[in-house]
PDB file of all heavy atoms in Angstrom:
ATOM      1  N   PHE A   3      -7.601   0.422  -2.217  1.00 98.00           N
ATOM      2  CA  PHE A   3      -6.982  -0.761  -1.657  1.00 98.00           C
ATOM      3  C   PHE A   3      -7.860  -1.986  -1.898  1.00 98.00           C
ATOM      4  O   PHE A   3      -9.074  -1.885  -1.943  1.00 98.00           O
ATOM      5  CB  PHE A   3      -6.797  -0.602  -0.149  1.00 98.00           C
ATOM      6  CG  PHE A   3      -5.780   0.394   0.272  1.00 98.00           C
ATOM      7  CD1 PHE A   3      -5.187   1.267  -0.616  1.00 98.00           C
ATOM      8  CD2 PHE A   3      -5.369   0.478   1.613  1.00 98.00           C
ATOM      9  CE1 PHE A   3      -4.234   2.226  -0.204  1.00 98.00           C
ATOM     10  CE2 PHE A   3      -4.416   1.401   2.024  1.00 98.00           C
ATOM     11  CZ  PHE A   3      -3.863   2.263   1.112  1.00 98.00           C
ATOM     12  N   THR A   4      -7.208  -3.153  -2.038  1.00 98.00           N
ATOM     13  CA  THR A   4      -7.902  -4.407  -2.231  1.00 98.00           C
ATOM     14  C   THR A   4      -7.271  -5.482  -1.366  1.00 98.00           C
ATOM     15  O   THR A   4      -6.072  -5.651  -1.386  1.00 98.00           O
ATOM     16  CB  THR A   4      -7.880  -4.837  -3.707  1.00 98.00           C
ATOM     17  OG1 THR A   4      -8.437  -3.815  -4.530  1.00 98.00           O
ATOM     18  CG2 THR A   4      -8.682  -6.116  -3.882  1.00 98.00           C
ATOM     19  N   ILE A   5      -8.101  -6.211  -0.629  1.00 96.00           N
ATOM     20  CA  ILE A   5      -7.616  -7.331   0.169  1.00 96.00           C
ATOM     21  C   ILE A   5      -8.007  -8.656  -0.515  1.00 96.00           C
ATOM     22  O   ILE A   5      -9.094  -8.745  -1.088  1.00 96.00           O
ATOM     23  CB  ILE A   5      -8.211  -7.284   1.606  1.00 96.00           C
ATOM     24  CG1 ILE A   5      -7.588  -8.380   2.470  1.00 96.00           C
ATOM     25  CG2 ILE A   5      -9.717  -7.387   1.596  1.00 96.00           C
ATOM     26  CD1 ILE A   5      -7.940  -8.338   3.955  1.00 96.00           C
ATOM     27  N   CYS A   6      -7.104  -9.619  -0.516  1.00 93.00           N
ATOM     28  CA  CYS A   6      -7.394 -10.907  -1.107  1.00 93.00           C
ATOM     29  C   CYS A   6      -6.603 -11.986  -0.387  1.00 93.00           C
ATOM     30  O   CYS A   6      -5.668 -11.690   0.366  1.00 93.00           O
ATOM     31  CB  CYS A   6      -7.116 -10.923  -2.620  1.00 93.00           C
ATOM     32  SG  CYS A   6      -5.401 -10.588  -3.060  1.00 93.00           S
ATOM     33  N   ARG A   7      -6.969 -13.226  -0.649  1.00 89.00           N
ATOM     34  CA  ARG A   7      -6.371 -14.356   0.041  1.00 89.00           C
ATOM     35  C   ARG A   7      -5.997 -15.452  -0.941  1.00 89.00           C
ATOM     36  O   ARG A   7      -6.757 -15.744  -1.876  1.00 89.00           O
ATOM     37  CB  ARG A   7      -7.350 -14.922   1.094  1.00 89.00           C
ATOM     38  CG  ARG A   7      -6.973 -16.199   1.735  1.00 89.00           C
ATOM     39  CD  ARG A   7      -8.169 -16.775   2.475  1.00 89.00           C
ATOM     40  NE  ARG A   7      -8.093 -16.653   3.912  1.00 89.00           N
ATOM     41  CZ  ARG A   7      -9.017 -16.110   4.714  1.00 89.00           C
ATOM     42  NH1 ARG A   7     -10.121 -15.641   4.183  1.00 89.00           N
ATOM     43  NH2 ARG A   7      -8.829 -16.061   6.017  1.00 89.00           N
ATOM     44  N   ASP A   8      -4.832 -16.063  -0.763  1.00 88.00           N
ATOM     45  CA  ASP A   8      -4.416 -17.218  -1.522  1.00 88.00           C
ATOM     46  C   ASP A   8      -4.295 -18.364  -0.532  1.00 88.00           C
ATOM     47  O   ASP A   8      -3.292 -18.481   0.168  1.00 88.00           O
ATOM     48  CB  ASP A   8      -3.087 -16.982  -2.239  1.00 88.00           C
ATOM     49  CG  ASP A   8      -2.718 -18.113  -3.176  1.00 88.00           C
ATOM     50  OD1 ASP A   8      -3.172 -19.266  -2.975  1.00 88.00           O
ATOM     51  OD2 ASP A   8      -1.954 -17.865  -4.111  1.00 88.00           O
ATOM     52  N   THR A   9      -5.346 -19.172  -0.436  1.00 83.00           N
ATOM     53  CA  THR A   9      -5.380 -20.236   0.532  1.00 83.00           C
ATOM     54  C   THR A   9      -4.261 -21.254   0.361  1.00 83.00           C
ATOM     55  O   THR A   9      -3.673 -21.723   1.345  1.00 83.00           O
ATOM     56  CB  THR A   9      -6.739 -20.959   0.492  1.00 83.00           C
ATOM     57  OG1 THR A   9      -7.806 -20.014   0.691  1.00 83.00           O
ATOM     58  CG2 THR A   9      -6.806 -22.042   1.542  1.00 83.00           C
ATOM     59  N   ALA A  10      -3.925 -21.546  -0.867  1.00 85.00           N
ATOM     60  CA  ALA A  10      -2.889 -22.554  -1.153  1.00 85.00           C
ATOM     61  C   ALA A  10      -1.523 -22.105  -0.619  1.00 85.00           C
ATOM     62  O   ALA A  10      -0.691 -22.926  -0.258  1.00 85.00           O
ATOM     63  CB  ALA A  10      -2.810 -22.828  -2.639  1.00 85.00           C
ATOM     64  N   LYS A  11      -1.309 -20.789  -0.550  1.00 89.00           N
ATOM     65  CA  LYS A  11      -0.032 -20.251  -0.101  1.00 89.00           C
ATOM     66  C   LYS A  11      -0.099 -19.717   1.332  1.00 89.00           C
ATOM     67  O   LYS A  11       0.872 -19.141   1.815  1.00 89.00           O
ATOM     68  CB  LYS A  11       0.431 -19.137  -1.036  1.00 89.00           C
ATOM     69  CG  LYS A  11       0.732 -19.591  -2.432  1.00 89.00           C
ATOM     70  CD  LYS A  11       1.259 -18.469  -3.294  1.00 89.00           C
ATOM     71  CE  LYS A  11       1.576 -18.922  -4.710  1.00 89.00           C
ATOM     72  NZ  LYS A  11       2.639 -19.940  -4.755  1.00 89.00           N
ATOM     73  N   ASN A  12      -1.245 -19.884   1.978  1.00 88.00           N
ATOM     74  CA  ASN A  12      -1.421 -19.412   3.370  1.00 88.00           C
ATOM     75  C   ASN A  12      -1.056 -17.928   3.470  1.00 88.00           C
ATOM     76  O   ASN A  12      -0.432 -17.488   4.446  1.00 88.00           O
ATOM     77  CB  ASN A  12      -0.598 -20.209   4.335  1.00 88.00           C
ATOM     78  CG  ASN A  12      -1.149 -21.603   4.579  1.00 88.00           C
ATOM     79  OD1 ASN A  12      -2.136 -22.013   3.981  1.00 88.00           O
ATOM     80  ND2 ASN A  12      -0.503 -22.340   5.464  1.00 88.00           N
ATOM     81  N   THR A  13      -1.486 -17.147   2.503  1.00 92.00           N
ATOM     82  CA  THR A  13      -1.087 -15.732   2.413  1.00 92.00           C
ATOM     83  C   THR A  13      -2.284 -14.814   2.126  1.00 92.00           C
ATOM     84  O   THR A  13      -3.157 -15.143   1.346  1.00 92.00           O
ATOM     85  CB  THR A  13      -0.042 -15.528   1.301  1.00 92.00           C
ATOM     86  OG1 THR A  13       1.084 -16.363   1.572  1.00 92.00           O
ATOM     87  CG2 THR A  13       0.414 -14.093   1.239  1.00 92.00           C
ATOM     88  N   VAL A  14      -2.306 -13.699   2.855  1.00 94.00           N
ATOM     89  CA  VAL A  14      -3.285 -12.629   2.632  1.00 94.00           C
ATOM     90  C   VAL A  14      -2.536 -11.429   2.086  1.00 94.00           C
ATOM     91  O   VAL A  14      -1.435 -11.100   2.561  1.00 94.00           O
ATOM     92  CB  VAL A  14      -4.027 -12.275   3.894  1.00 94.00           C
ATOM     93  CG1 VAL A  14      -4.979 -11.098   3.678  1.00 94.00           C
ATOM     94  CG2 VAL A  14      -4.827 -13.477   4.399  1.00 94.00           C
ATOM     95  N   TYR A  15      -3.107 -10.751   1.084  1.00 96.00           N
ATOM     96  CA  TYR A  15      -2.471  -9.626   0.434  1.00 96.00           C
ATOM     97  C   TYR A  15      -3.280  -8.368   0.655  1.00 96.00           C
ATOM     98  O   TYR A  15      -4.472  -8.376   0.804  1.00 96.00           O
ATOM     99  CB  TYR A  15      -2.357  -9.865  -1.051  1.00 96.00           C
ATOM    100  CG  TYR A  15      -1.693 -11.162  -1.446  1.00 96.00           C
ATOM    101  CD1 TYR A  15      -2.450 -12.289  -1.680  1.00 96.00           C
ATOM    102  CD2 TYR A  15      -0.308 -11.268  -1.575  1.00 96.00           C
ATOM    103  CE1 TYR A  15      -1.846 -13.504  -2.039  1.00 96.00           C
ATOM    104  CE2 TYR A  15       0.292 -12.451  -1.932  1.00 96.00           C
ATOM    105  CZ  TYR A  15      -0.482 -13.575  -2.156  1.00 96.00           C
ATOM    106  OH  TYR A  15       0.104 -14.762  -2.516  1.00 96.00           O
ATOM    107  N   LEU A  16      -2.556  -7.232   0.633  1.00 98.00           N
ATOM    108  CA  LEU A  16      -3.225  -5.944   0.590  1.00 98.00           C
ATOM    109  C   LEU A  16      -2.569  -5.170  -0.568  1.00 98.00           C
ATOM    110  O   LEU A  16      -1.417  -4.732  -0.478  1.00 98.00           O
ATOM    111  CB  LEU A  16      -3.035  -5.162   1.890  1.00 98.00           C
ATOM    112  CG  LEU A  16      -3.733  -3.804   1.924  1.00 98.00           C
ATOM    113  CD1 LEU A  16      -5.260  -3.978   1.905  1.00 98.00           C
ATOM    114  CD2 LEU A  16      -3.296  -3.005   3.153  1.00 98.00           C
ATOM    115  N   GLN A  17      -3.330  -4.994  -1.657  1.00 98.00           N
ATOM    116  CA  GLN A  17      -2.869  -4.229  -2.799  1.00 98.00           C
ATOM    117  C   GLN A  17      -3.263  -2.789  -2.578  1.00 98.00           C
ATOM    118  O   GLN A  17      -4.443  -2.461  -2.414  1.00 98.00           O
ATOM    119  CB  GLN A  17      -3.480  -4.750  -4.099  1.00 98.00           C
ATOM    120  CG  GLN A  17      -3.060  -3.971  -5.325  1.00 98.00           C
ATOM    121  CD  GLN A  17      -1.594  -4.127  -5.617  1.00 98.00           C
ATOM    122  OE1 GLN A  17      -1.061  -5.218  -5.602  1.00 98.00           O
ATOM    123  NE2 GLN A  17      -0.934  -3.018  -5.921  1.00 98.00           N
ATOM    124  N   MET A  18      -2.289  -1.894  -2.553  1.00 98.00           N
ATOM    125  CA  MET A  18      -2.515  -0.479  -2.289  1.00 98.00           C
ATOM    126  C   MET A  18      -2.139   0.340  -3.533  1.00 98.00           C
ATOM    127  O   MET A  18      -0.990   0.321  -3.997  1.00 98.00           O
ATOM    128  CB  MET A  18      -1.688  -0.002  -1.106  1.00 98.00           C
ATOM    129  CG  MET A  18      -1.934  -0.831   0.148  1.00 98.00           C
ATOM    130  SD  MET A  18      -1.044  -0.200   1.592  1.00 98.00           S
ATOM    131  CE  MET A  18       0.635  -0.531   1.089  1.00 98.00           C
ATOM    132  N   ASN A  19      -3.130   1.033  -4.098  1.00 98.00           N
ATOM    133  CA  ASN A  19      -2.911   1.855  -5.276  1.00 98.00           C
ATOM    134  C   ASN A  19      -3.231   3.308  -4.965  1.00 98.00           C
ATOM    135  O   ASN A  19      -3.898   3.641  -3.974  1.00 98.00           O
ATOM    136  CB  ASN A  19      -3.812   1.390  -6.438  1.00 98.00           C
ATOM    137  CG  ASN A  19      -3.536  -0.018  -6.860  1.00 98.00           C
ATOM    138  OD1 ASN A  19      -2.378  -0.471  -6.870  1.00 98.00           O
ATOM    139  ND2 ASN A  19      -4.585  -0.761  -7.222  1.00 98.00           N
ATOM    140  N   SER A  20      -2.795   4.193  -5.823  1.00 98.00           N
ATOM    141  CA  SER A  20      -3.030   5.646  -5.667  1.00 98.00           C
ATOM    142  C   SER A  20      -2.679   6.125  -4.264  1.00 98.00           C
ATOM    143  O   SER A  20      -3.466   6.811  -3.623  1.00 98.00           O
ATOM    144  CB  SER A  20      -4.480   5.957  -6.022  1.00 98.00           C
ATOM    145  OG  SER A  20      -4.802   5.569  -7.341  1.00 98.00           O
ATOM    146  N   LEU A  21      -1.515   5.740  -3.797  1.00 98.00           N
ATOM    147  CA  LEU A  21      -1.129   6.034  -2.409  1.00 98.00           C
ATOM    148  C   LEU A  21      -0.972   7.530  -2.177  1.00 98.00           C
ATOM    149  O   LEU A  21      -0.543   8.294  -3.031  1.00 98.00           O
ATOM    150  CB  LEU A  21       0.150   5.308  -2.096  1.00 98.00           C
ATOM    151  CG  LEU A  21      -0.029   3.819  -1.829  1.00 98.00           C
ATOM    152  CD1 LEU A  21       1.324   3.087  -1.953  1.00 98.00           C
ATOM    153  CD2 LEU A  21      -0.627   3.577  -0.453  1.00 98.00           C
ATOM    154  N   LYS A  22      -1.345   7.920  -0.949  1.00 98.00           N
ATOM    155  CA  LYS A  22      -1.270   9.318  -0.488  1.00 98.00           C
ATOM    156  C   LYS A  22      -0.329   9.385   0.716  1.00 98.00           C
ATOM    157  O   LYS A  22      -0.073   8.385   1.383  1.00 98.00           O
ATOM    158  CB  LYS A  22      -2.641   9.828  -0.079  1.00 98.00           C
ATOM    159  CG  LYS A  22      -3.737   9.655  -1.119  1.00 98.00           C
ATOM    160  CD  LYS A  22      -5.092  10.034  -0.571  1.00 98.00           C
ATOM    161  CE  LYS A  22      -6.201   9.845  -1.571  1.00 98.00           C
ATOM    162  NZ  LYS A  22      -7.542  10.207  -1.014  1.00 98.00           N
ATOM    163  N   SER A  23       0.142  10.604   0.982  1.00 97.00           N
ATOM    164  CA  SER A  23       0.984  10.801   2.157  1.00 97.00           C
ATOM    165  C   SER A  23       0.270  10.362   3.445  1.00 97.00           C
ATOM    166  O   SER A  23       0.923   9.871   4.369  1.00 97.00           O
ATOM    167  CB  SER A  23       1.381  12.270   2.288  1.00 97.00           C
ATOM    168  OG  SER A  23       2.181  12.655   1.199  1.00 97.00           O
ATOM    169  N   GLU A  24      -1.030  10.522   3.500  1.00 97.00           N
ATOM    170  CA  GLU A  24      -1.830  10.160   4.668  1.00 97.00           C
ATOM    171  C   GLU A  24      -1.890   8.645   4.899  1.00 97.00           C
ATOM    172  O   GLU A  24      -2.354   8.207   5.939  1.00 97.00           O
ATOM    173  CB  GLU A  24      -3.258  10.705   4.517  1.00 97.00           C
ATOM    174  CG  GLU A  24      -3.359  12.224   4.558  1.00 97.00           C
ATOM    175  CD  GLU A  24      -2.892  12.913   3.304  1.00 97.00           C
ATOM    176  OE1 GLU A  24      -2.860  12.271   2.212  1.00 97.00           O
ATOM    177  OE2 GLU A  24      -2.563  14.112   3.340  1.00 97.00           O
ATOM    178  N   ASP A  25      -1.440   7.857   3.907  1.00 98.00           N
ATOM    179  CA  ASP A  25      -1.410   6.425   4.061  1.00 98.00           C
ATOM    180  C   ASP A  25      -0.148   5.949   4.838  1.00 98.00           C
ATOM    181  O   ASP A  25      -0.036   4.758   5.139  1.00 98.00           O
ATOM    182  CB  ASP A  25      -1.455   5.718   2.709  1.00 98.00           C
ATOM    183  CG  ASP A  25      -2.766   5.942   1.980  1.00 98.00           C
ATOM    184  OD1 ASP A  25      -3.804   5.912   2.622  1.00 98.00           O
ATOM    185  OD2 ASP A  25      -2.707   6.179   0.745  1.00 98.00           O
ATOM    186  N   THR A  26       0.753   6.837   5.115  1.00 98.00           N
ATOM    187  CA  THR A  26       1.955   6.496   5.829  1.00 98.00           C
ATOM    188  C   THR A  26       1.635   5.996   7.226  1.00 98.00           C
ATOM    189  O   THR A  26       0.975   6.683   7.993  1.00 98.00           O
ATOM    190  CB  THR A  26       2.927   7.723   5.932  1.00 98.00           C
ATOM    191  OG1 THR A  26       3.327   8.067   4.620  1.00 98.00           O
ATOM    192  CG2 THR A  26       4.140   7.387   6.766  1.00 98.00           C
ATOM    193  N   ALA A  27       2.109   4.781   7.529  1.00 98.00           N
ATOM    194  CA  ALA A  27       1.808   4.151   8.823  1.00 98.00           C
ATOM    195  C   ALA A  27       2.510   2.825   8.895  1.00 98.00           C
ATOM    196  O   ALA A  27       3.032   2.332   7.905  1.00 98.00           O
ATOM    197  CB  ALA A  27       0.280   3.982   8.999  1.00 98.00           C
ATOM    198  N   VAL A  28       2.449   2.220  10.085  1.00 98.00           N
ATOM    199  CA  VAL A  28       2.823   0.799  10.245  1.00 98.00           C
ATOM    200  C   VAL A  28       1.553   0.002   9.977  1.00 98.00           C
ATOM    201  O   VAL A  28       0.525   0.246  10.595  1.00 98.00           O
ATOM    202  CB  VAL A  28       3.392   0.497  11.627  1.00 98.00           C
ATOM    203  CG1 VAL A  28       3.662  -0.988  11.779  1.00 98.00           C
ATOM    204  CG2 VAL A  28       4.644   1.298  11.893  1.00 98.00           C
ATOM    205  N   TYR A  29       1.630  -0.972   9.092  1.00 98.00           N
ATOM    206  CA  TYR A  29       0.497  -1.797   8.732  1.00 98.00           C
ATOM    207  C   TYR A  29       0.589  -3.152   9.414  1.00 98.00           C
ATOM    208  O   TYR A  29       1.629  -3.800   9.363  1.00 98.00           O
ATOM    209  CB  TYR A  29       0.438  -1.970   7.215  1.00 98.00           C
ATOM    210  CG  TYR A  29      -0.123  -0.731   6.522  1.00 98.00           C
ATOM    211  CD1 TYR A  29       0.630   0.435   6.459  1.00 98.00           C
ATOM    212  CD2 TYR A  29      -1.382  -0.730   5.918  1.00 98.00           C
ATOM    213  CE1 TYR A  29       0.148   1.590   5.845  1.00 98.00           C
ATOM    214  CE2 TYR A  29      -1.860   0.408   5.299  1.00 98.00           C
ATOM    215  CZ  TYR A  29      -1.093   1.559   5.268  1.00 98.00           C
ATOM    216  OH  TYR A  29      -1.587   2.682   4.655  1.00 98.00           O
ATOM    217  N   TYR A  30      -0.524  -3.565  10.003  1.00 98.00           N
ATOM    218  CA  TYR A  30      -0.591  -4.809  10.752  1.00 98.00           C
ATOM    219  C   TYR A  30      -1.634  -5.757  10.137  1.00 98.00           C
ATOM    220  O   TYR A  30      -2.729  -5.373   9.774  1.00 98.00           O
ATOM    221  CB  TYR A  30      -0.991  -4.547  12.216  1.00 98.00           C
ATOM    222  CG  TYR A  30      -0.010  -3.727  12.986  1.00 98.00           C
ATOM    223  CD1 TYR A  30      -0.115  -2.327  13.038  1.00 98.00           C
ATOM    224  CD2 TYR A  30       1.040  -4.334  13.689  1.00 98.00           C
ATOM    225  CE1 TYR A  30       0.785  -1.560  13.751  1.00 98.00           C
ATOM    226  CE2 TYR A  30       1.926  -3.551  14.404  1.00 98.00           C
ATOM    227  CZ  TYR A  30       1.790  -2.183  14.441  1.00 98.00           C
ATOM    228  OH  TYR A  30       2.696  -1.418  15.168  1.00 98.00           O
ATOM    229  N   CYS A  31      -1.250  -7.026  10.101  1.00 97.00           N
ATOM    230  CA  CYS A  31      -2.150  -8.095   9.694  1.00 97.00           C
ATOM    231  C   CYS A  31      -2.746  -8.722  10.966  1.00 97.00           C
ATOM    232  O   CYS A  31      -2.058  -8.838  11.979  1.00 97.00           O
ATOM    233  CB  CYS A  31      -1.355  -9.146   8.914  1.00 97.00           C
ATOM    234  SG  CYS A  31      -2.305 -10.557   8.346  1.00 97.00           S
ATOM    235  N   ALA A  32      -4.008  -9.084  10.900  1.00 96.00           N
ATOM    236  CA  ALA A  32      -4.698  -9.664  12.059  1.00 96.00           C
ATOM    237  C   ALA A  32      -5.576 -10.830  11.622  1.00 96.00           C
ATOM    238  O   ALA A  32      -6.075 -10.869  10.511  1.00 96.00           O
ATOM    239  CB  ALA A  32      -5.564  -8.596  12.728  1.00 96.00           C
ATOM    240  N   ALA A  33      -5.781 -11.759  12.561  1.00 93.00           N
ATOM    241  CA  ALA A  33      -6.607 -12.931  12.312  1.00 93.00           C
ATOM    242  C   ALA A  33      -7.575 -13.184  13.471  1.00 93.00           C
ATOM    243  O   ALA A  33      -7.248 -12.953  14.625  1.00 93.00           O
ATOM    244  CB  ALA A  33      -5.716 -14.182  12.109  1.00 93.00           C
ATOM    245  N   ARG A  34      -8.777 -13.621  13.115  1.00 90.00           N
ATOM    246  CA  ARG A  34      -9.795 -13.959  14.087  1.00 90.00           C
ATOM    247  C   ARG A  34     -10.129 -15.443  13.925  1.00 90.00           C
ATOM    248  O   ARG A  34     -10.405 -15.903  12.816  1.00 90.00           O
ATOM    249  CB  ARG A  34     -11.058 -13.115  13.868  1.00 90.00           C
ATOM    250  CG  ARG A  34     -12.229 -13.518  14.717  1.00 90.00           C
ATOM    251  CD  ARG A  34     -13.489 -12.691  14.307  1.00 90.00           C
ATOM    252  NE  ARG A  34     -14.688 -13.158  14.958  1.00 90.00           N
ATOM    253  CZ  ARG A  34     -15.211 -12.619  16.062  1.00 90.00           C
ATOM    254  NH1 ARG A  34     -14.623 -11.589  16.646  1.00 90.00           N
ATOM    255  NH2 ARG A  34     -16.320 -13.117  16.587  1.00 90.00           N
ATOM    256  N   ASP A  35     -10.120 -16.179  15.017  1.00 82.00           N
ATOM    257  CA  ASP A  35     -10.426 -17.609  14.944  1.00 82.00           C
ATOM    258  C   ASP A  35     -11.645 -18.015  15.764  1.00 82.00           C
ATOM    259  O   ASP A  35     -11.918 -19.206  15.879  1.00 82.00           O
ATOM    260  CB  ASP A  35      -9.215 -18.458  15.301  1.00 82.00           C
ATOM    261  CG  ASP A  35      -8.888 -18.410  16.804  1.00 82.00           C
ATOM    262  OD1 ASP A  35      -9.445 -17.596  17.531  1.00 82.00           O
ATOM    263  OD2 ASP A  35      -8.022 -19.242  17.198  1.00 82.00           O
ATOM    264  N   ARG A  36     -12.382 -17.069  16.310  1.00 79.00           N
ATOM    265  CA  ARG A  36     -13.568 -17.380  17.067  1.00 79.00           C
ATOM    266  C   ARG A  36     -14.700 -17.864  16.197  1.00 79.00           C
ATOM    267  O   ARG A  36     -15.506 -18.639  16.598  1.00 79.00           O
ATOM    268  CB  ARG A  36     -14.015 -16.181  17.931  1.00 79.00           C
ATOM    269  CG  ARG A  36     -13.184 -15.950  19.165  1.00 79.00           C
ATOM    270  CD  ARG A  36     -13.455 -14.633  19.827  1.00 79.00           C
ATOM    271  NE  ARG A  36     -12.739 -13.558  19.152  1.00 79.00           N
ATOM    272  CZ  ARG A  36     -12.962 -12.245  19.420  1.00 79.00           C
ATOM    273  NH1 ARG A  36     -13.888 -11.900  20.275  1.00 79.00           N
ATOM    274  NH2 ARG A  36     -12.273 -11.351  18.806  1.00 79.00           N
ATOM    275  N   ASP A  37     -14.786 -17.306  15.000  1.00 73.00           N
ATOM    276  CA  ASP A  37     -15.695 -17.783  13.968  1.00 73.00           C
ATOM    277  C   ASP A  37     -15.248 -17.215  12.622  1.00 73.00           C
ATOM    278  O   ASP A  37     -14.299 -16.411  12.573  1.00 73.00           O
ATOM    279  CB  ASP A  37     -17.157 -17.392  14.276  1.00 73.00           C
ATOM    280  CG  ASP A  37     -17.382 -15.877  14.327  1.00 73.00           C
ATOM    281  OD1 ASP A  37     -16.973 -15.183  13.376  1.00 73.00           O
ATOM    282  OD2 ASP A  37     -17.963 -15.422  15.327  1.00 73.00           O
ATOM    283  N   GLY A  38     -15.905 -17.632  11.571  1.00 63.00           N
ATOM    284  CA  GLY A  38     -15.557 -17.125  10.251  1.00 63.00           C
ATOM    285  C   GLY A  38     -16.769 -16.855   9.395  1.00 63.00           C
ATOM    286  O   GLY A  38     -16.726 -17.074   8.173  1.00 63.00           O
TER     287      GLY A  38
END
């Protein structure tokens, strides 16, 4: 898996390759604004 960000599009991506049955789940995006 690879996470990346496109600031111009206000979008975060998760590229998932070589997927397995164990990867089955609900996936959630989260943000922290207390610091960076």
Side-chain angles (χ1 to χ4, degrees):
F3 291 11
T4 303
I5 185 172
C6 61
R7 171 193 254 129
D8 187 336
T9 302
K11 296 183 180 296
N12 287 3
T13 302
V14 176
Y15 307 93
L16 182 68
Q17 179 66 46
M18 304 184 293
N19 299 323
S20 302
L21 284 162
K22 307 173 181 179
S23 296
E24 293 75 21
D25 296 318
T26 296
V28 176
Y29 283 70
Y30 297 91
C31 180
R34 173 186 172 96
D35 72 349
R36 282 168 279 170
D37 62 51

